[in-house]
Amino acid sequence: FNVGSKKILITQPKKGTFKAFVAVCTHAGATLTGASNNEIQCASHGARFDAETGMAKSVAPRALGKVSASVASGNVKVRF
């Protein structure tokens, strides 16, 4: 989803744990849209990232940008 002009992807690698990242692939700039099996995968070129750390697993030259995520009153909140 977007927060202002920033594209954000929120993952839940473990129950009750939320992580947020800039949802732009560091390989080719494509928008990242989701995670499964504890992994974020770029649909454009197959770059893969760890859903808990954002670290690149293949193809991409660097990790995803991290965004602060917290839970308050049952809502996930992000902060830059």
Side-chain angles (χ1 to χ4, degrees):
F1 66 91
N2 291 342
V3 176
S5 62
K6 303 267 187 193
K7 295 176 182 174
I8 305 298
L9 176 66
I10 296 176
T11 66
Q12 186 178 11
K14 298 176 195 159
K15 185 175 180 174
T17 301
F18 296 90
K19 303 291 181 173
F21 304 98
V22 175
V24 177
C25 180
T26 59
H27 171 245
T31 300
L32 302 170
T33 59
S36 65
N37 299 320
N38 225 17
E39 191 171 87
I40 300 163
Q41 185 165 349
C42 178
S44 293
H45 296 102
R48 295 179 298 121
F49 304 88
D50 185 279
E52 186 167 359
T53 65
M55 296 299 297
K57 291 181 156 187
S58 70
V59 183
R62 62 187 177 285
L64 297 174
K66 292 182 181 179
V67 177
S68 175
S70 61
V71 178
S73 301
N75 295 308
V76 178
K77 298 189 180 224
V78 296
R79 186 176 63 230
F80 299 97

